[in-house]
Amino acid sequence: MTTDEKKKGAAGGGAGKSLEETAKEWDASAAGWDKGFMGSMVGRFNARALEVVEGAAQTKFSGGSCDVLDFGCGTGQMTLPLAALATSVHATDVAPKMIAALDAKLAAPGAPDNVTTWCGDIASAGAPQADASFDLVYSGSVITFVPDLPAVLAKLASLMRPGALAVHFVWEDKRKDQAPREPGRTDGLHYQDGISEAQLLAELEASVLMVKDVGYIPVPIFGCLPCCCTMRWLYVIAEKPLACT
């Protein structure tokens, strides 16, 4: 497989999209991401996701040093709450305008001073993150978008210290009447189609992590709770074995 082929994926259509195209799409959403309907929806999701993260990593947050990687941080709606709990947060995204929006928040008076940001492909050879640097890796509705899922999950696992946790959220899979897509690939998959529980567990275990918990959270789309107005996210909590170095 060529380098160009490995960059394909994440969005609908058989050919998929490159990371560069995906970054441009997210850049186009950056200005309105924290506002209006989208801002409210993302805020409700992050509130529920933070409950899961706090429950999973309570001992890490209260046990001294806890360095967090917020993978696919967007404008930092989750980064800032994580910064209040962690020793440090390193926030990454492929979309420059998303990172710029977060940087603007971090430059405001009273902003946390324990957050660093980086824009780029974390799985690339030039990525600056060092192996075994983080106690917690978080991603919210991100890994559906990556072109080469095994490569990214393996990279994230390498950045985790032994005993560290990964908490990943993805949209609930809606392709139940279709054959599973080829493991590790997102070609031809629309963003909203999600990843099946079985595939996500298999992908994480292939990256040498041990799955600790699996669950679903419903999030009201319009701030109410009727079933017809909710979206469900799958989350998986996985741990890097202590024997890993």
Side-chain angles (χ1 to χ4, degrees):
M1 182 178 291
T2 68
T3 300
D4 286 342
E5 286 172 334
K6 287 183 177 181
K7 288 183 177 180
K8 296 295 183 180
K17 296 184 181 180
S18 69
L19 275 178
E20 292 79 7
E21 290 170 321
T22 300
K24 287 180 180 179
E25 286 193 353
W26 285 108
D27 270 348
S29 299
W33 194 248
D34 295 332
K35 302 173 184 177
F37 168 79
M38 183 56 70
S40 297
M41 177 66 183
V42 174
R44 286 191 291 273
F45 163 74
N46 284 331
R48 295 298 308 276
L50 187 62
E51 293 175 0
V52 173
V53 173
E54 285 188 279
Q58 185 175 16
T59 57
K60 295 188 180 298
F61 288 138
S62 62
S65 177
C66 181
D67 299 310
V68 176
L69 172 63
D70 185 1
F71 174 63
C73 62
T75 62
Q77 282 203 19
M78 192 68 164
T79 309
L80 300 183
L82 288 172
L85 299 170
T87 307
S88 72
V89 178
H90 182 59
T92 73
D93 204 286
V94 298
K97 291 184 180 179
M98 288 285 189
I99 288 289
L102 173 54
D103 285 339
K105 294 177 184 179
L106 294 173
D113 60 1
N114 60 340
V115 178
T116 57
T117 63
W118 182 77
C119 185
D121 177 7
I122 204 168
S124 67
Q129 296 79 14
D131 285 352
S133 296
F134 300 103
D135 303 292
L136 175 68
V137 170
Y138 169 80
S139 77
S141 299
V142 175
I143 59 175
T144 308
F145 299 87
V146 301
D148 190 337
L149 188 55
V152 168
L153 291 180
K155 177 64 175 184
L156 293 175
S158 76
L159 299 178
M160 297 167 63
R161 295 176 177 131
L165 293 178
V167 184
H168 296 293
F169 286 81
V170 297
W171 281 299
E172 179 184 23
D173 185 30
K174 294 184 173 66
R175 304 169 70 247
K176 297 181 177 16
D177 59 342
Q178 302 179 43
R181 74 178 192 267
E182 180 185 350
R185 301 299 300 166
T186 52
D187 294 46
L189 182 71
H190 290 279
Y191 293 158
Q192 67 269 26
D193 286 335
I195 297 176
S196 72
E197 179 179 325
Q199 179 175 357
L200 184 53
L201 296 184
E203 301 278 10
L204 287 168
E205 289 169 352
S207 72
V208 201
L209 299 184
M210 297 187 305
V211 173
K212 306 291 288 185
D213 191 21
V214 180
Y216 289 84
I217 60 168
V219 177
I221 296 175
F222 299 107
C224 54
L225 285 172
C227 294
C228 63
C229 295
T230 61
M231 293 180 66
R232 289 212 320 167
W233 273 263
L234 162 69
Y235 70 83
V236 176
I237 301 167
E239 184 178 53
K240 186 169 184 176
L242 292 173
C244 287
T245 57

